[in-house]
Amino acid sequence: DKVFATSSVDALIHAVESFLSPKASPLTDLFGAKAIEMIMEGYKKIIERGGNSKENRADLLKDFALASNYAGIAFGNAGCGAVHALSYAHGGAFHIPHGEANFICFTEVFKMYMRKQPVGKIQEANKIFCDVLGCSEDVVYEELDAFLGKILEKKPLREYGMTEDQVAPFAKSTIDNQQRLLGNNYVELSEEEIAEIFQNLY
């Protein structure tokens, strides 16, 4: 169950990060948006059936595989950004599965994006989530965390062993080692802003 959860959440984040990438194109947008919709709708069915189990997802696996492929086409061309960039620090330090490490910082990164540039492509991504969740944009990240939390538990980083002293080193490591990914951000994030995200996740 957890392998499905972490892998599919990773595919969802591939899709939405590539959708917001400055390298996105009409082609990658088509694949990314469709992947987001398919994965979210698939999760909705799993949750309505009682939760993430082999029986509740059995007839949806083909759709999830196809959605993952669509997301792969999108991020293979447009790239992933800060969610993936930040995830390497705690994922590597505490041996957290990759999709889970991404999920931990997903909405916190997007809250920072919204604070810096609320008008733009991010509104289109938020609308896709709002349409599935049946919520307004002002609460979309809280609703998204609650929704995805029914598929994969989200925990603060201190529960994995992180100490507050690691906030600054994790932010510096991200800036020093993840420019390949940070170059695909929706908006540029400073080391101080990345440290703030890690502090909020602690």
Side-chain angles (χ1 to χ4, degrees):
D1 294 345
K2 189 167 182 178
V3 171
F4 167 79
T6 57
S7 299
S8 56
V9 165
D10 186 33
L12 176 66
I13 295 171
H14 287 161
V16 70
E17 285 213 282
S18 62
F19 189 79
L20 294 188
S21 169
K23 297 176 185 172
S25 69
L27 178 68
T28 61
D29 282 354
L30 283 171
F31 283 104
K34 187 62 176 176
I36 296 168
E37 291 170 5
M38 290 177 71
I39 293 170
M40 290 292 291
E41 289 292 348
Y43 283 160
K44 194 172 185 178
K45 290 176 183 176
I46 289 169
I47 291 166
E48 287 170 350
R49 293 170 181 178
N52 178 27
S53 69
K54 182 178 179 180
E55 295 74 23
N56 289 342
R57 62 176 182 263
D59 63 327
L60 301 171
L61 292 180
K62 183 177 179 180
D63 286 343
F64 273 96
L66 188 58
S68 179
N69 189 21
Y70 288 165
I73 292 169
F75 95 85
N77 287 277
C80 290
V83 176
H84 274 76
L86 270 69
S87 75
Y88 284 103
H90 51 274
F94 307 116
H95 307 287
I96 304 169
H98 178 62
E100 185 174 355
N102 283 330
F103 178 42
I104 290 166
C105 49
F106 176 26
T107 53
E108 205 62 39
V109 167
F110 274 59
K111 288 175 189 175
M112 180 67 77
Y113 283 165
M114 280 292 286
R115 192 170 90 189
K116 298 192 70 174
Q117 184 57 268
V119 178
K121 192 86 173 284
I122 197 166
Q123 292 174 294
E124 297 178 41
N126 288 344
K127 185 178 186 307
I128 300 172
F129 289 124
C130 288
D131 286 348
V132 176
L133 296 171
C135 69
S136 58
E137 189 179 31
D138 61 319
V139 294
V140 64
Y141 300 129
E142 290 78 6
E143 291 293 324
L144 189 55
D145 270 343
F147 178 80
L148 296 177
K150 295 174 182 176
I151 300 295
L152 178 64
E153 183 184 7
K154 183 176 182 178
K155 299 184 290 188
L157 285 173
R158 61 182 170 272
E159 291 193 19
Y160 295 93
M162 180 180 172
T163 64
E164 204 163 2
D165 291 342
Q166 290 177 295
V167 166
F170 277 8
K172 185 176 188 306
S173 171
T174 302
I175 289 290
D176 289 348
N177 299 312
Q178 301 300 336
Q179 289 301 319
R180 171 183 66 88
L181 295 169
L182 293 173
N184 301 323
N185 284 2
Y186 173 63
V187 292
E188 185 176 351
L189 298 181
S190 67
E191 185 172 338
E192 291 73 24
E193 288 165 338
I194 291 172
E196 182 181 338
I197 293 169
F198 276 120
Q199 182 66 53
N200 291 342
L201 295 173
Y202 167 73

